[in-house]
Coordinates of all heavy atoms in Angstrom, one line a residue:
Y1 N 145.5 -46.1 133.7 CA 145.4 -47.6 133.7 C 143.9 -48.1 133.6 O 143.7 -49.3 133.6 CB 146.0 -48.2 135.0 CG 147.5 -47.9 135.1 CD1 148.0 -47.1 136.1 CD2 148.4 -48.3 134.1 CE1 149.4 -46.8 136.2 CE2 149.7 -48.0 134.2 CZ 150.2 -47.3 135.2 OH 151.5 -47.0 135.3
R2 N 143.0 -47.2 133.5 CA 141.6 -47.6 133.5 C 141.2 -48.2 132.2 O 140.1 -48.9 132.1 CB 140.7 -46.4 133.8 CG 140.8 -45.9 135.2 CD 140.0 -44.7 135.6 NE 140.4 -44.1 136.9 CZ 140.1 -42.9 137.3 NH1 139.5 -42.1 136.5 NH2 140.5 -42.5 138.4
Y3 N 142.0 -48.1 131.2 CA 141.7 -48.8 129.9 C 141.7 -50.3 130.1 O 141.0 -51.0 129.4 CB 142.6 -48.4 128.8 CG 144.0 -49.0 129.0 CD1 144.4 -50.2 128.3 CD2 145.0 -48.4 129.8 CE1 145.6 -50.7 128.5 CE2 146.2 -48.9 129.9 CZ 146.6 -50.1 129.3 OH 147.8 -50.6 129.4
L4 N 142.4 -50.7 131.1 CA 142.5 -52.2 131.4 C 141.2 -52.8 131.9 O 141.1 -54.0 132.0 CB 143.6 -52.5 132.4 CG 145.1 -52.2 131.8 CD1 146.1 -52.1 133.0 CD2 145.5 -53.2 130.8
M5 N 140.3 -51.9 132.4 CA 139.0 -52.4 132.9 C 137.8 -52.1 132.0 O 136.7 -52.1 132.4 CB 138.8 -51.8 134.3 CG 138.7 -50.3 134.3 SD 138.6 -49.6 136.0 CE 137.1 -50.3 136.6
R6 N 138.1 -51.8 130.7 CA 137.1 -51.6 129.7 C 136.2 -52.8 129.7 O 136.6 -53.9 129.6 CB 137.6 -51.3 128.4 CG 138.3 -49.9 128.2 CD 139.0 -49.8 126.9 NE 139.7 -48.5 126.8 CZ 140.7 -48.3 125.9 NH1 141.1 -49.2 125.1 NH2 141.3 -47.1 125.9
G7 N 134.9 -52.6 129.7 CA 133.9 -53.7 129.8 C 133.4 -54.0 131.2 O 132.6 -54.9 131.4
V8 N 133.9 -53.2 132.1 CA 133.5 -53.5 133.5 C 132.0 -53.3 133.8 O 131.5 -53.8 134.7 CB 134.4 -52.6 134.5 CG1 133.9 -51.1 134.4 CG2 134.3 -53.1 135.9
E9 N 131.4 -52.5 132.9 CA 129.9 -52.3 133.0 C 129.1 -53.6 132.9 O 127.9 -53.6 133.2 CB 129.5 -51.3 132.0 CG 129.6 -51.7 130.5 CD 130.9 -51.4 129.9 OE1 131.9 -51.0 130.6 OE2 131.0 -51.5 128.6
Y10 N 129.7 -54.6 132.4 CA 129.0 -55.9 132.3 C 129.0 -56.7 133.6 O 128.4 -57.7 133.7 CB 129.6 -56.8 131.2 CG 129.4 -56.2 129.8 CD1 130.5 -55.6 129.1 CD2 128.2 -56.4 129.1 CE1 130.3 -55.1 127.8 CE2 128.0 -55.9 127.8 CZ 129.0 -55.2 127.2 OH 128.8 -54.7 125.9
A11 N 129.8 -56.2 134.6 CA 130.0 -57.0 135.8 C 128.7 -57.1 136.6 O 128.0 -56.1 136.8 CB 131.1 -56.4 136.6
D12 N 128.5 -58.2 137.2 CA 127.5 -58.4 138.3 C 128.1 -58.1 139.6 O 127.4 -57.8 140.6 CB 126.8 -59.7 138.2 CG 126.0 -59.9 136.9 OD1 124.9 -59.3 136.9 OD2 126.5 -60.7 136.0
S13 N 129.4 -58.4 139.8 CA 130.1 -58.1 141.0 C 131.5 -57.9 140.7 O 132.1 -58.3 139.7 CB 129.9 -59.3 142.0 OG 130.3 -60.5 141.4
F14 N 132.2 -57.1 141.6 CA 133.5 -56.7 141.3 C 134.2 -56.6 142.7 O 133.6 -56.2 143.7 CB 133.6 -55.3 140.7 CG 134.9 -54.7 140.4 CD1 135.5 -54.8 139.2 CD2 135.6 -54.1 141.5 CE1 136.8 -54.3 138.9 CE2 136.9 -53.5 141.2 CZ 137.5 -53.6 140.0
D15 N 135.5 -57.1 142.8 CA 136.2 -57.1 144.1 C 137.7 -56.7 143.9 O 138.3 -57.1 142.9 CB 136.1 -58.4 144.7 CG 136.8 -58.5 146.1 OD1 136.2 -58.0 147.1 OD2 137.9 -58.9 146.1
F16 N 138.2 -55.9 144.8 CA 139.6 -55.7 144.9 C 140.0 -55.6 146.3 O 139.2 -55.3 147.2 CB 140.1 -54.5 144.0 CG 139.9 -53.1 144.7 CD1 141.0 -52.5 145.3 CD2 138.6 -52.6 144.9 CE1 140.8 -51.3 145.9 CE2 138.5 -51.3 145.5 CZ 139.6 -50.7 146.0
N17 N 141.3 -55.7 146.6 CA 141.9 -55.7 147.9 C 142.6 -54.5 148.3 O 143.8 -54.4 147.9 CB 142.8 -57.0 148.2 CG 142.0 -58.3 148.2 OD1 140.8 -58.3 148.5 ND2 142.7 -59.4 148.0
P18 N 142.1 -53.5 149.0 CA 142.8 -52.4 149.5 C 144.0 -52.8 150.3 O 145.0 -52.1 150.5 CB 141.8 -51.6 150.2 CG 140.5 -51.9 149.6 CD 140.6 -53.4 149.3
H19 N 143.9 -54.0 151.0 CA 145.0 -54.5 151.8 C 146.2 -55.0 151.0 O 147.2 -55.5 151.6 CB 144.5 -55.5 152.8 CG 144.0 -56.8 152.3 ND1 142.8 -57.3 152.7 CD2 144.5 -57.7 151.4 CE1 142.6 -58.5 152.0 NE2 143.7 -58.7 151.3
K20 N 146.1 -55.0 149.7 CA 147.2 -55.5 148.9 C 148.0 -54.4 148.4 O 149.3 -54.4 148.4 CB 146.7 -56.3 147.7 CG 146.5 -57.8 147.9 CD 146.4 -58.6 146.7 CE 146.5 -60.1 146.9 NZ 145.3 -60.6 147.6
W21 N 147.4 -53.3 147.8 CA 148.2 -52.3 147.1 C 147.8 -50.9 147.5 O 148.3 -49.9 146.9 CB 148.2 -52.5 145.6 CG 149.4 -52.0 144.9 CD1 150.6 -51.6 145.4 CD2 149.5 -51.9 143.5 NE1 151.4 -51.2 144.4 CE2 150.8 -51.4 143.2 CE3 148.7 -52.2 142.4 CZ2 151.3 -51.1 141.9 CZ3 149.2 -52.0 141.1 CH2 150.4 -51.4 140.9
M22 N 146.9 -50.8 148.4 CA 146.4 -49.4 148.8 C 146.7 -49.1 150.2 O 146.1 -48.2 150.8 CB 144.9 -49.3 148.6 CG 144.4 -47.9 148.4 SD 142.6 -47.8 148.1 CE 142.5 -48.0 146.4
M23 N 147.7 -49.8 150.8 CA 148.3 -49.5 152.1 C 147.4 -49.6 153.3 O 147.6 -49.1 154.3 CB 148.9 -48.1 152.0 CG 150.0 -47.8 151.0 SD 150.5 -46.1 150.8 CE 149.1 -45.4 150.0
V24 N 146.3 -50.4 153.1 CA 145.4 -50.7 154.2 C 145.8 -52.0 154.8 O 146.2 -53.0 154.2 CB 143.9 -50.8 153.7 CG1 143.0 -51.1 154.8 CG2 143.5 -49.5 153.0

């Protein structure tokens, strides 16, 4: 599924929620 984040190298900041789908 990492193809969906192609271009992420342009990011100045990135955020995701482990409490949503990573069982935290």
Side-chain angles (χ1 to χ4, degrees):
Y1 298 117
R2 290 176 192 163
Y3 73 95
L4 294 166
M5 60 187 297
R6 288 174 185 158
V8 71
E9 64 272 13
Y10 292 102
D12 291 288
S13 53
F14 179 98
D15 181 83
F16 82 103
N17 287 341
H19 66 229
K20 270 196 170 69
W21 206 11
M22 201 180 275
M23 300 174 286
V24 178

